[in-house]
Amino acid sequence: MKTAHLDEVLNNCPYYDDIINYTPEKGDDITKDMIRYYQDYVFFNWNQFEKLKKIDMILNEYIKNIRFQKYIRRHFQEVGDALPVYDILESLYTDYQSETMKKVDNTRWI
């Protein structure tokens, strides 16, 4: 890989190291597949900057947010062993964000 490619990836993927170094639980094949897909996507689409930033943000949310992990896992268990592709992950992230906004917990005491 050329240095320019690597520089572009690192500039557009601030969570790259966190995602790549994330250790999934034993038997968590969905997370392993997603990390593998992320690595491939990032290095084969290094010049699509907006998509790189988006997939980086989505995978970072996935490894940091247990609720989002469960949401993704439910979806992929329903559709079988489909490989998570960019469009599906982006759509699921958008759906998750809109559902989360609808379910805002009221923590205010009356």
Side-chain angles (χ1 to χ4, degrees), residues 17 22 53 61 70 83 91:
D17 287 334
Y22 180 77
K53 290 177 184 178
E61 181 74 16
K70 289 179 182 179
L83 181 66
S91 175

Side-chain angles (χ1 to χ4, degrees), residues 16-110:
Y16 180 81
D17 287 334
D18 294 338
I19 295 167
I20 298 303
N21 293 323
Y22 180 77
T23 305
E25 294 179 13
K26 189 174 183 176
D28 185 2
D29 295 330
I30 293 171
T31 301
K32 290 175 188 174
D33 288 345
M34 288 179 67
I35 292 171
R36 216 170 315 135
Y37 169 77
Y38 170 80
Q39 287 177 304
D40 292 344
Y41 188 88
V42 163
F43 284 105
F44 288 113
N45 298 289
W46 65 271
N47 59 349
Q48 296 179 5
F49 308 123
E50 291 305 313
K51 287 186 174 186
L52 285 180
K53 290 177 184 178
K54 187 76 171 185
I55 196 77
D56 188 61
M57 180 187 63
I58 291 170
L59 265 287
N60 184 59
E61 181 74 16
Y62 178 83
I63 65 171
K64 303 284 185 196
N65 184 343
I66 191 69
R67 290 181 181 169
F68 186 53
Q69 278 185 20
K70 289 179 182 179
Y71 184 82
I72 294 290
R73 287 180 185 154
R74 272 195 315 268
H75 175 77
F76 283 109
Q77 287 175 354
E78 290 172 5
V79 297
D81 293 331
L83 181 66
V85 293
Y86 176 82
D87 295 333
I88 293 172
L89 288 175
E90 184 179 32
S91 175
L92 286 171
Y93 181 75
T94 303
D95 293 346
Y96 175 78
Q97 291 296 328
S98 65
E99 284 183 25
T100 302
M101 292 303 291
K102 291 177 187 176
K103 295 179 182 178
V104 175
D105 294 331
N106 186 359
T107 59
R108 187 174 182 184
W109 288 85
I110 299 178

